[in-house]
Amino acid sequence: MSPKHVIFKKLSRDKSVGVYMAKRDFVDHCDSIDPVDGVVLIDPVQVKGKKVFVMLSCTFRYGRDDMDVMGVAFRRDIFLTTRQVYPELQDKERSIHTKMQEKLLRKLGDNAIPFFFEFPDNLPCSVCLQPAPSDVGKRCAVEFEVKAFCAENQDEKIEKRSSVRLAIRKIQYAPEDSKTIPSSEITCEFLMSDKPLHMQVSLEKETHYHGEPIKVSVYINNSSSRSLKDITVAVEQVTNVVLYSNDKYVRAVALEETSDTVPPGTTLKNVYTLIPLLAANKERRGIALDGKLKHEDTCLASSSIVKEEVLKEVQGMLVSYKVVVRLNASGMVGSSEVAVEVPFRLMHPKPEPAKEGESDDMVFEEFKRVYLKGVIPDDDESPTEA
């Protein structure tokens, strides 16, 4: 039996327009980006002679909506494009429909109209900062949204009851991993010590997947007269807000505090295993997430991969990861901290290509009810709703 296709749909409150899409995650493959495509279903009686438009937007939001720009809040449209789909205009650039669009057009009838957008190659991926439980208002985030609406023209104020807005995500999968073994080392000389301390830290590979154990190999040769103790191994997430502010969030998303010691004149060779997971950081403010569609689970943000020709400031927020090994070197003249950092990437693995069946059978799901236990009122118009 051929598999059924899950199609997500959402209708405006007055039922004048509805949007149908086969997916909500769109992948940036670095050399190409999945186009955003779907179908708009209109009710000519409810449209009442108005035009129907579809909009694709990428917005950077930093701070709550109730704070002014001179305080903390800031909102900027990084990308915005609108197309009229009804009455239909001749689109010479895009006359070929995807297979899913063709099936939807057959299924929905004459009042269904396809739409198609291509992302420019300089847009960031979806990312948001996790608020604290006490925080209110919109989250700090780079968000993508598809909106369909009825209006006399695209510049007039949009009526909520005649519009529908859907949150989508732009994501990246891990590229082919290089053969380079990430490592870093440090040699420290201390006062009143003839010989140095040498520490080397290495990882198995440069790219790790979400949920995958990270094995950290630590080698310490303590030729100094200092006693080494309080060794900690951490995975740190670093989020740089590069648009509007220069805020920087550094959070340890996985941590192991050991009782290992390295007396003078001895060595230590050990492998520590850490697994950075959102589940262990649910209540912590400032943790970067891989974007979030309302009522869906997400994970820690993936590492940002920015093309060389793209301005970093346009990316809104950049996320990176590093393993940090710290230890305390104590002696007769006090103590000091020694640290070694090893950068790496944390991303999703590239999935196997889906095998599309020949069946036209489709399962239609309401956007607002997917992954949700219960019912949301029809007037819920949150821009982050999906």
Side-chain angles (χ1 to χ4, degrees), residues 11-139:
L11 304 177
S12 64
R13 264 189 279 173
D14 64 4
K15 313 301 182 187
S16 59
V17 292
V19 173
Y20 294 73
M21 298 178 69
K23 60 181 180 180
R24 291 177 293 176
D25 285 346
F26 299 87
V27 181
D28 183 345
H29 304 275
C30 290
D31 57 346
S32 64
I33 308 173
D34 291 349
V36 177
D37 60 82
V39 168
V40 175
L41 182 65
I42 68 166
D43 183 339
V45 176
Q46 292 295 330
V47 169
K48 299 175 182 177
K50 293 183 179 180
K51 299 174 182 177
V52 177
F53 301 89
V54 180
M55 176 189 297
L56 173 65
S57 64
C58 172
T59 302
F60 172 68
R61 187 192 305 276
Y62 191 63
R64 303 196 310 270
D65 284 348
D66 59 356
M67 304 180 73
D68 60 30
V69 176
M70 298 304 292
V72 178
F74 179 82
R75 183 183 185 279
R76 174 176 170 182
D77 288 325
I78 298 176
F79 175 74
L80 186 67
T81 183
T82 306
R83 290 187 178 176
Q84 178 182 324
V85 295
Y86 177 83
E88 290 187 75
L89 301 176
Q90 183 64 33
D91 188 356
K92 296 181 179 179
E93 296 182 359
R94 184 67 188 176
S95 57
I96 301 175
H97 303 147
T98 64
K99 291 183 179 179
M100 188 55 62
Q101 282 177 322
E102 291 176 353
K103 293 176 181 180
L104 281 169
L105 293 175
R106 289 197 299 266
K107 212 71 161 170
L108 298 175
D110 295 337
N111 292 327
I113 306 167
F115 65 86
F116 182 92
F117 292 102
E118 289 185 331
F119 285 112
D121 61 4
N122 64 340
L123 293 184
C125 288
S126 299
V127 63
C128 66
L129 292 181
Q130 179 170 259
S134 59
D135 289 345
V136 296
K138 303 299 181 185
R139 66 172 65 90

Side-chain angles (χ1 to χ4, degrees), residues 188-205:
C188 295
E189 295 184 354
F190 302 107
L191 189 66
M192 308 293 291
S193 179
D194 294 335
K195 295 183 180 181
L197 155 70
H198 181 77
M199 179 164 62
Q200 182 178 22
V201 179
S202 61
L203 308 179
E204 288 183 314
K205 54 184 180 178

Side-chain angles (χ1 to χ4, degrees), residues 197-356:
L197 155 70
H198 181 77
M199 179 164 62
Q200 182 178 22
V201 179
S202 61
L203 308 179
E204 288 183 314
K205 54 184 180 178
E206 184 179 10
T207 301
H208 287 78
Y209 302 142
H210 290 287
E212 181 180 37
I214 299 174
K215 294 184 178 180
V216 184
S217 298
V218 178
Y219 171 72
I220 300 173
N221 183 3
N222 185 16
S223 300
S224 74
S225 59
R226 298 288 187 102
S227 178
L228 309 181
K229 59 181 181 178
D230 301 332
I231 299 175
T232 63
V233 185
V235 173
E236 292 187 351
Q237 180 194 73
V238 181
T239 305
N240 287 283
V241 181
V242 293
L243 182 61
Y244 167 66
S245 80
N246 290 315
D247 287 355
K248 184 176 182 178
Y249 298 84
V250 181
R251 301 287 188 269
V253 292
L255 176 68
E256 181 175 349
E257 298 176 320
T258 78
S259 57
D260 294 341
T261 61
V262 189
T266 64
T267 62
L268 178 142
K269 189 174 183 180
N270 206 349
V271 177
Y272 303 94
T273 302
L274 299 176
I275 306 178
L277 294 171
L278 177 58
N281 298 276
K282 280 282 191 182
E283 304 297 320
R284 300 180 61 201
R285 186 179 186 276
I287 299 291
L289 311 179
D290 240 354
K292 183 168 173 61
L293 300 178
K294 198 171 185 181
H295 316 306
E296 273 199 29
D297 289 333
T298 185
C299 62
L300 296 171
S302 297
S303 300
S304 302
I305 298 180
V306 183
K307 303 177 181 69
E308 292 183 1
E309 66 275 10
V310 173
L311 292 175
K312 290 185 177 180
E313 290 74 14
V314 183
Q315 302 300 296
M317 289 185 280
L318 296 176
V319 179
S320 60
Y321 289 88
K322 59 184 177 181
V323 165
V324 184
V325 178
R326 294 184 175 88
L327 55 83
N328 185 283
S330 59
M332 295 179 60
V333 291
S335 62
S336 57
E337 184 183 82
V338 179
V340 174
E341 301 180 355
V342 182
F344 72 98
R345 286 194 297 248
L346 183 64
M347 303 190 74
H348 294 284
K350 187 176 181 180
E352 294 294 328
K355 295 181 180 180
E356 186 175 0

